Amino acid sequence: MKLYDYTRAPNPRRVRIFMAEKGVEIPLETVDLGTDAQFDEAFTRRNPFRTVPVLELDDGTHISESIAICRYLEALYPEPPLFGSTALEQALVEMWSRRAELTGLLHAAEVVRNSIPFFADKALPGVEGGSPQIEALIERGKAGLERFFTAFDKQLENSEFVAGDHYSVADITTQVTIEFAGWRKIGIPDQCKNLARWYQQVSARPSAKA
Ligand SMILES: N[C@@H](CCC(=O)N[C@@H](CS)C(=O)NCC(=O)O)C(=O)O
């Protein structure tokens, strides 16, 4: 197996953290997004959506989408379970993972991709040219992130981890979302003490270095 990766990018980081939590090592190959290597013909054959991460299997199969890759690794390496164990845990992990992606990561991407000059005309990932930045989306993304911080802070008031008592893939997406928002100096609001406590805790895990 081989993972097509780009160190700075948030989505490949989700998979690297997941691998570190599992204690799984997979060779990494960098796709340099800084020089638009995702648009190369060879990489486009691996993932027509032209995004990283992509997991290449030994039989030549390619799996993209961070959560699909994590699910595959979960099936191969079930311990420790990061998608929940019981039916209820699995449903709660799914619920909070989707909330982290849809109400967190997507808004962070809205802010970052519509404001950094490097993404001018590349505001959508994997789309080569013709996707201009839209200034209004920066404000909409910031408002979305405020709602995300507040909602996740509330959840963490009585819960050690995002989806309950156990660390899970929902924690990983939430952690990476906060890091990504930090690219534009958007931090956890002062009043979100539970979220700050949790963030300190997950950032101290060895997997945070992945
Ligand atoms: N939904 C995809 C998103 C993948 C994605 O957007 N990856 C970014 C890096 S974080 C990318 O490859 N961007 C390519 C580009 O900017 O053109 C996933 O979960 O893996």
Side-chain angles (χ1 to χ4, degrees), residues 9-12 14 33 38-39 50-53 65-66 113 125-126:
N11 283 291
R14 290 203 278 168
L33 303 185
Q38 73 275 33
F39 301 127
R50 306 197 288 193
T51 55
V52 283
E65 294 301 322
S66 307
R113 298 200 66 116

Side-chain angles (χ1 to χ4, degrees), residues 29-140:
E29 183 167 323
T30 296
V31 178
D32 187 357
L33 303 185
T35 58
D36 288 346
Q38 73 275 33
F39 301 127
D40 287 357
E41 219 182 291
F43 187 72
T44 301
R45 274 197 301 273
R46 293 179 189 114
N47 177 13
F49 286 78
R50 306 197 288 193
T51 55
V52 283
V54 174
L55 185 68
E56 182 173 272
L57 307 189
D58 294 343
D59 71 356
T61 305
H62 291 101
I63 305 174
S64 59
E65 294 301 322
S66 307
I67 293 298
I69 296 170
C70 291
R71 279 201 180 277
Y72 182 71
L73 296 178
E74 176 91 352
L76 291 187
Y77 310 99
E79 295 299 327
L82 296 178
F83 280 89
S85 298
T86 65
L88 177 60
E89 278 171 15
Q90 287 175 9
L92 293 176
V93 169
E94 186 71 27
M95 178 175 86
W96 283 102
S97 285
R98 291 183 67 78
R99 285 175 170 171
E101 280 192 336
L102 299 172
T103 75
L105 194 53
L106 286 183
H107 286 308
E110 243 171 12
V111 175
V112 170
R113 298 200 66 116
N114 287 288
S115 61
I116 293 184
F118 175 76
F119 292 119
D121 218 32
K122 288 192 289 189
L124 294 172
V127 179
E128 191 176 17
S131 62
Q133 292 176 320
I134 300 172
E135 212 181 322
L137 291 179
I138 304 171
E139 286 316 306
R140 195 182 74 173

